[in-house]
Amino acid sequence: MEKDSLKGKIDLLLIAGSAGSLDVLLKVLPAIKYNLSFPIIIVLHRKASYDSSLINLFNSKATLPVVEAEEKDSLQNGKIYVAPSDYHLLVETDHSVSLDYSEKIQYSRPCIDVTFETAAEVYKTRIAAILLSGANSDGAAGLKSIKNHGGITAVQNPQYAEVSYMPQKAIQIAPIDYILNIEEIANFINKLSL
Amino acid sequence: MMIEYNFIQDEDVDIILNDILESYGYDFTEYSKASIKRRINRLFTLDRFMSFAEFRYRLKSDPDYMHRFIEQVTVTVTEMFRDPQFYKVLREQVLPTLGTYPFIRIWHAGCSTGEEVYSMAILLKEANLYHKALLYATDLNPEVLEKARMGIFPLSQMKQYSENYIQSGGTKDFSQYYTANYDKAKFDEELSRKMIFSTHNLVSDRSFNEFQLILCRNVLIYFDKDLQVKVFNLFEQSLDNLGYLALGSKETIRFSSLTSRFKQLDNEKIWRKIA
């Protein structure tokens, strides 16, 4: 990728994954620059009971403040929002988030596709999404939707992902702009910032 | 099922919601947009409409289809003893206080198919308070109320509910509360004896009684901030002094004028009216 070509391109970054993506995030979050010019939303499939410890764990590693998204939160630049377990997280036109306790989709709540699709409709070309390791096809349709609206799509290189199914599935159905190794992800995020 | 394309755009959603308000009096215009738009698109795809015009015409001209709209677009997902820790606090801190009153009135606002109302009935039974309690259970959707009245839930859920029940501090054998029949669990009619089911729309209907406890869990997340404020005021009018308001695990009164007059219990989503 050309140097600085990504600079200032987006107003929101989405990162999502399932099995095997927690370790990736713990490597990526400490390397993100502290004055990032956009917010990040993380959607992670997981068991319901570990929520507060997950936020604490992220906060102990991340350069940016990490919070569990609360309903009607307005997204602020340089802040990381984690979708709470057992709720879908949707992005509203006023750049706030809302939560939804409707049926599981793709056996998942939060469902990655729901967040990606609602965010794509609002942010159109001004968004990027990265899909990490996982054993489920959630996120692939969402990445397609991001691309349809002119956003930037990226996946973790399935070859090195702990579970390759999720990024592999995304590559099959959606145009992917960047296939990244773990050590390239933080750099990619930082380049998107102003 | 995944929806890849959104046929119904923001403007279309506004048109439909206005039609429904004019034709049927149901007001969804202050619901959170992203969620209701997604639900409407889901219904549009599910029922294989060819065009927005066709969808709009059907909704305006066919009251039966309007019922389907309400059933499908409002979220009815619920479970028994959802968030066990919440029920533990109800059991250990709220019910002992309510027990000092001669009569206990509880309102489940937006009760859906009633799983939480039956959970509450079990708590009241086990606290020996059921005889002096009344449980008002309301929802805007008459279909779900009919299910709630029956007290019949999928047998496949009982393992999870039983685990929730134990985590909430329950010490009995959970299966004593229902009779299994094929794939259904029918809850003891003794539990529903003091339940009163009625349609009530939080958006347009008024306060109808005074309560010592109001539960409204995972309903407000679907409302925008202005509507939330209106509903909080309705709850405040409907609560006795020192009454309790219980919300869903991600809901809060922090944006409303209630904060100064309500005190939160521990870290649970339960607030007590103190002034």
Side-chain angles (χ1 to χ4, degrees), chain A residues 68 70-73 84 87 90-93 99-103 105 113-114 117 121 141 144, chain B residues 2-4 6 32-35 37-39 75 77 79 82 218 221-223 228 249-250 254:
Chain A
E68 184 181 90
E70 293 199 37
E71 61 116 16
K72 308 290 184 287
D73 265 345
Y87 288 84
L90 292 76
V91 177
E92 300 280 347
T93 44
L99 302 177
D100 175 318
Y101 192 73
S102 54
E103 302 76 5
I105 301 169
D113 286 334
V114 167
E117 287 173 4
E121 280 175 43
K144 194 171 173 189
Chain B
M2 202 55 236
I3 304 144
E4 278 185 36
N6 278 305
S32 293
K33 267 303 172 294
S35 180
K37 182 181 170 192
R38 194 174 76 80
R39 304 289 295 179
V75 173
V77 178
E79 62 181 72
R82 165 156 142 196
N218 294 303
I221 49 174
Y222 303 109
F223 296 173
Q228 287 186 353
S249 64
K250 302 299 166 198
R254 78 189 149 138

Side-chain angles (χ1 to χ4, degrees), chain B residues 175-241:
Chain B
S175 66
Q176 76 176 68
Y177 291 112
Y178 62 84
T179 315
N181 199 353
Y182 297 101
D183 57 347
K184 301 276 190 268
K186 163 105 177 89
F187 276 75
D188 194 344
E189 277 174 19
E190 182 56 27
L191 289 173
S192 54
R193 198 164 51 85
K194 309 291 280 297
M195 294 177 189
I196 296 164
F197 296 96
S198 169
T199 54
H200 180 278
N201 189 335
L202 289 169
V203 182
S204 50
D205 291 338
R206 297 182 187 202
S207 174
F208 58 94
N209 211 329
E210 289 220 338
F211 301 93
Q212 282 86 39
L213 169 61
I214 297 175
L215 299 103
C216 182
R217 306 189 68 220
N218 294 303
V219 175
L220 295 167
I221 49 174
Y222 303 109
F223 296 173
D224 72 16
K225 270 190 198 170
D226 292 340
L227 180 53
Q228 287 186 353
V229 168
K230 286 183 209 164
V231 175
F232 281 134
N233 289 335
L234 169 68
F235 289 158
E236 185 173 22
Q237 287 164 21
S238 312
L239 262 186
D240 270 358
N241 258 339

Side-chain angles (χ1 to χ4, degrees), chain B:
Chain B
M1 183 198 65
M2 202 55 236
I3 304 144
E4 278 185 36
Y5 299 104
N6 278 305
F7 295 98
I8 310 289
Q9 298 301 311
D10 288 341
E11 314 79 75
D12 307 332
V13 171
D14 292 340
I15 291 170
I16 282 178
L17 298 185
N18 279 323
D19 281 355
I20 288 172
L21 178 57
E22 275 176 23
S23 308
Y24 301 101
Y26 285 106
D27 188 355
F28 294 106
T29 58
E30 292 179 293
Y31 276 52
S32 293
K33 267 303 172 294
S35 180
I36 199 154
K37 182 181 170 192
R38 194 174 76 80
R39 304 289 295 179
I40 290 174
N41 270 295
R42 177 178 163 275
L43 180 65
F44 184 95
T45 311
L46 213 60
D47 290 349
R48 300 163 190 268
F49 282 97
M50 301 305 288
S51 71
F52 172 66
E54 185 196 350
F55 184 54
R56 185 183 177 193
Y57 177 76
R58 181 78 186 274
L59 262 172
K60 276 176 80 164
S61 61
D62 181 353
D64 287 339
Y65 194 70
M66 180 60 209
H67 282 144
R68 174 159 173 81
F69 180 91
I70 290 179
E71 266 174 70
Q72 292 295 320
V73 168
T74 60
V75 173
T76 59
V77 178
T78 178
E79 62 181 72
M80 290 188 80
F81 295 97
R82 165 156 142 196
D83 310 319
Q85 185 57 36
F86 167 85
Y87 280 92
K88 199 164 193 245
V89 174
L90 279 186
R91 198 189 275 277
E92 291 171 359
Q93 296 186 42
V94 176
L95 288 193
T97 314
L98 295 184
T100 63
Y101 296 121
F103 198 69
I104 307 167
R105 280 185 306 273
I106 297 173
W107 178 18
H108 288 264
C111 68
S112 189
T113 42
E115 280 83 338
E116 299 207 47
V117 193
Y118 283 84
S119 309
M120 177 58 76
I122 290 172
L123 288 192
L124 289 164
K125 278 265 180 222
E126 295 185 355
N128 267 327
L129 297 173
Y130 191 76
H131 62 282
K132 60 174 180 176
L134 266 186
L135 296 133
Y136 291 78
T138 66
D139 202 281
L140 83 157
N141 178 349
E143 253 76 18
V144 291
L145 287 174
E146 199 42 51
K147 287 186 185 162
R149 199 172 277 128
M150 306 284 285
I152 298 173
F153 305 122
L155 190 62
S156 57
Q157 296 289 320
M158 292 305 133
K159 186 168 172 288
Q160 177 67 50
Y161 293 173
S162 171
E163 283 167 19
N164 289 355
Y165 164 79
I166 292 163
Q167 281 177 42
S168 80
T171 52
K172 301 232 160 83
D173 177 2
F174 185 67
S175 66
Q176 76 176 68
Y177 291 112
Y178 62 84
T179 315
N181 199 353
Y182 297 101
D183 57 347
K184 301 276 190 268
K186 163 105 177 89
F187 276 75
D188 194 344
E189 277 174 19
E190 182 56 27
L191 289 173
S192 54
R193 198 164 51 85
K194 309 291 280 297
M195 294 177 189
I196 296 164
F197 296 96
S198 169
T199 54
H200 180 278
N201 189 335
L202 289 169
V203 182
S204 50
D205 291 338
R206 297 182 187 202
S207 174
F208 58 94
N209 211 329
E210 289 220 338
F211 301 93
Q212 282 86 39
L213 169 61
I214 297 175
L215 299 103
C216 182
R217 306 189 68 220
N218 294 303
V219 175
L220 295 167
I221 49 174
Y222 303 109
F223 296 173
D224 72 16
K225 270 190 198 170
D226 292 340
L227 180 53
Q228 287 186 353
V229 168
K230 286 183 209 164
V231 175
F232 281 134
N233 289 335
L234 169 68
F235 289 158
E236 185 173 22
Q237 287 164 21
S238 312
L239 262 186
D240 270 358
N241 258 339
L242 300 176
Y244 296 91
L245 174 63
L247 303 178
S249 64
K250 302 299 166 198
E251 292 165 328
T252 172
I253 65 168
R254 78 189 149 138
F255 298 119
S256 76
S257 61
L258 267 58
T259 45
S260 59
R261 299 189 293 284
F262 280 73
K263 190 171 172 289
Q264 190 168 7
L265 247 72
D266 295 344
N267 283 321
E268 285 306 317
K269 298 297 178 136
I270 302 173
W271 286 265
R272 192 167 196 198
K273 188 173 171 182
I274 49 166

Side-chain angles (χ1 to χ4, degrees), chain A residues 5 77 82 87 105 127 170 174 179 186:
Chain A
S5 64
N77 295 338
V82 180
Y87 288 84
I105 301 169
I127 191 169
I179 296 174

Side-chain angles (χ1 to χ4, degrees), chain A residues 159-184:
Chain A
Q159 218 181 324
Y160 301 108
E162 195 179 312
V163 186
S164 63
Y165 188 82
M166 186 175 269
Q168 193 66 59
K169 194 80 192 169
I171 290 169
Q172 280 168 21
I173 81 153
I176 304 297
D177 299 313
Y178 299 91
I179 296 174
L180 304 166
N181 294 329
I182 295 177
E183 52 279 9
E184 294 171 330

